[in-house]
Amino acid sequence: MKISLNKTIFSLFYILIFVSAIGRIQYSATSVSYWIALYRTSIYLIELIGVGYTLYKHVLLFKRNIAAFLGFMVLYELAITFLRYRSLGTTLFNEIVIDLLGWPLVFIFTYQFVKDIGILKAFKGITVCGVSIIIIITAFNISNMGRIGINPAVGGVGYCVAVLPLVYLYFPKKFQKIITFIVLVIVLLSTKRSSFLALLIGIFTYYISDAIIQKTPRQKINKMLFVMFMAIVAAIAGIYMLESSQLEIVKEFTSQDETLSGRTLLWERILTNYNSLSFSERFFGSGMHAVKWKFNPYGLGWYAHNSFIETLYDYGIVGMALLIIFIVMIIKKTIKMNLDKSRISPIISFTIPPMLLFASSSYFFEIGQIMIFYSFIWSFCVAVFDIGLIEQKIESGDVR
């Protein structure tokens, strides 16, 4: 059997995305150094593979598309970071490579890979294995919460939500609802409010999109009835949990914490400091992770817990505008996919609520980690839509 070098490279690229997740999840749970080394090495290899493939193929990436705009945004962020920091230590250099370059390069290279090579059958097996490992180790870490690590749920739960679109793309239909239920249970036990909301709204968005793209009125009605049924069940379950459940996540939702676990106080402090910066810093930014490295609120090395505030402080008004334009481009492309009734539209539609929720209340665009998966899914969906590949692959059974 002849082995295609390009397909092998793309498969390795995809495998490393899952390996990076495993490394990051286990480091969050154990703080053992070799797990963070695995995470960083995986991201480095992903970037090297992408760059190597691009140079090998002599591909001109910067054409008129989302990948091109993202490339411009990264160049701007790099330029501001190098201008604002007088010296780059090892830690900051790693953060530049992993957090600043990581997810944008995954988007750019995935787009190019898919346009050149298409959808690979090997991705089915890789996805099944990778998703299964992520869910198993996250469930194990949560079951041992309090005995290992400080908060082992943090990393794994975000990854469980992030991989669900890949479950809907590659898993057999009879397993999709089972995996969704398992992830829902994991998120409930984790006490992560934003992840719970992101998951619920993402699932509903997925099924609403799935109803929109149906070809006949009967199919649309059946799908919408299913969505309404899910909404009723979720409402009944929610009322029951609010009234009688002892789950910690329910206590989190019903608490009278107007500061969102201290987030609003942190945001106020960061914005107050931002307003005291020079015009140049406010307009162009102070460089990557400046909230943590330069302002350092409370002296704890925290990020802003809000990607928009973090971007405003780090990259100024210009950087904020570029980020908003990128988000609008992704949402606009998602709407177009739904209007064109593309079979890939439910996959990318799922990601929009988590993107907006996590970006507004947690770390998202400013660090790698789960952004690697969202970036891959966005780029994958955009590429297969742009080249009209998804319909024929669904017919052949390469994707579900």
Side-chain angles (χ1 to χ4, degrees):
M1 181 192 301
K2 185 178 179 181
I3 298 177
S4 168
L5 178 61
N6 290 346
K7 291 181 179 180
T8 302
I9 290 172
F10 195 16
S11 296
L12 178 60
F13 180 89
Y14 190 52
I15 290 170
L16 286 169
I17 290 176
F18 284 99
V19 173
S20 72
I22 294 167
R24 185 66 221 185
I25 292 169
Q26 288 303 91
Y27 179 71
S28 296
T30 66
S31 298
V32 176
S33 59
Y34 60 74
W35 288 118
I36 195 66
L38 178 64
Y39 167 70
R40 290 172 177 168
T41 302
S42 300
I43 302 299
Y44 272 85
L45 288 174
I46 287 169
E47 295 178 11
L48 286 174
I49 288 172
V51 171
Y53 176 81
T54 301
L55 295 176
Y56 170 70
K57 297 290 288 185
H58 303 287
V59 177
L60 292 175
L61 289 175
F62 298 104
K63 300 176 183 178
R64 254 183 97 188
N65 53 39
I66 299 177
F69 178 82
L70 191 56
F72 173 76
M73 187 173 83
V74 169
L75 290 176
Y76 169 79
E77 292 176 352
L78 271 175
I80 292 299
T81 297
F82 283 114
L83 285 171
R84 297 302 189 190
Y85 285 93
R86 294 182 179 180
S87 62
L88 298 177
T90 303
T91 301
L92 184 58
F93 178 80
N94 280 326
E95 289 183 0
I96 290 173
V97 175
I98 294 172
D99 295 334
L100 194 155
L101 294 177
W103 71 264
L105 290 183
V106 166
F107 188 103
I108 293 169
F109 296 142
T110 299
Y111 188 85
Q112 197 61 56
F113 275 131
V114 174
K115 293 198 76 172
D116 287 350
I117 302 169
I119 301 174
L120 301 183
K121 290 184 178 180
F123 276 21
K124 278 186 182 180
I126 295 170
T127 303
V128 170
C129 291
V131 169
S132 299
I133 293 171
I134 287 173
I135 289 174
I136 289 170
I137 62 176
T138 301
F140 173 80
N141 290 341
I142 290 177
S143 69
N144 287 277
M145 195 183 300
R147 293 191 292 275
I148 58 173
I150 298 173
N151 191 346
V154 172
V157 170
Y159 280 111
C160 286
V161 176
V163 299
L164 260 188
L166 297 175
V167 171
Y168 299 145
L169 184 64
Y170 282 111
F171 273 61
K173 288 188 179 296
K174 62 182 178 181
F175 289 110
Q176 291 176 9
K177 292 181 176 63
I178 295 174
I179 299 297
T180 301
F181 177 76
I182 292 172
V183 172
L184 183 60
V185 171
I186 287 174
V187 175
L188 277 171
L189 295 176
S190 74
T191 75
K192 305 303 292 181
R193 290 177 295 184
S194 58
S195 294
F196 181 72
L197 286 175
L199 176 60
L200 278 186
I201 302 174
I203 292 170
F204 280 113
T205 305
Y206 172 87
Y207 282 107
I208 290 171
S209 175
D210 192 38
I212 290 171
I213 66 173
Q214 298 304 310
K215 295 181 179 179
T216 67
R218 180 179 291 275
Q219 289 174 324
K220 287 185 178 182
I221 291 172
N222 289 338
K223 291 287 184 179
M224 289 306 297
L225 287 174
F226 177 70
V227 172
M228 291 174 62
F229 172 77
M230 288 178 56
I232 293 170
V233 171
I236 294 172
I239 293 170
Y240 171 78
M241 286 194 300
L242 289 173
E243 291 182 349
S244 61
S245 177
Q246 296 301 309
L247 286 173
E248 287 297 321
I249 194 169
V250 176
K251 297 176 183 178
E252 291 283 339
F253 275 114
T254 56
S255 68
Q256 300 299 313
D257 180 13
E258 296 180 356
T259 69
L260 300 176
S261 300
R263 283 174 172 80
T264 58
L265 299 177
L266 176 63
W267 297 339
E268 182 180 357
R269 179 169 289 202
I270 293 170
L271 290 174
T272 299
N273 184 266
Y274 168 80
N275 289 328
S276 70
L277 299 175
S278 67
F279 172 79
S280 173
E281 289 172 316
R282 282 183 278 122
F283 193 76
F284 295 107
S286 300
M288 188 196 74
H289 293 176
V291 170
K292 180 177 78 169
W293 290 111
K294 293 188 175 182
F295 177 42
N296 193 15
Y298 304 113
L300 298 172
W302 284 356
Y303 298 101
H305 276 77
N306 182 303
S307 289
F308 300 106
I309 294 175
E310 181 82 36
T311 300
L312 180 65
Y313 196 99
D314 292 355
Y315 305 113
I317 295 171
V318 174
M320 171 72 90
L322 292 174
L323 177 61
I324 291 173
I325 290 171
F326 173 75
I327 292 172
V328 170
M329 291 174 78
I330 292 294
I331 294 175
K332 182 179 177 181
K333 181 68 75 169
T334 302
I335 293 172
K336 181 171 176 54
M337 290 180 189
N338 279 277
L339 293 177
D340 288 357
K341 296 183 174 16
S342 170
R343 295 288 294 275
I344 199 71
S345 58
I347 306 300
I348 193 170
S349 295
F350 176 98
T351 68
I352 304 303
M355 172 184 70
L356 297 175
L357 276 167
F358 290 145
S360 301
S361 63
S362 187
Y363 320 128
F364 195 65
F365 290 104
E366 62 268 32
I367 59 176
Q369 301 185 22
I370 64 171
M371 262 304 300
I372 298 292
F373 277 98
Y374 286 97
S375 182
F376 176 86
I377 293 166
W378 294 335
S379 185
F380 182 91
C381 292
V382 169
V384 297
F385 177 72
D386 285 351
I387 62 179
L389 186 64
I390 191 67
E391 310 299 335
Q392 65 189 67
K393 288 295 181 180
I394 288 177
E395 293 299 325
S396 66
D398 289 350
V399 296
R400 294 292 165 184

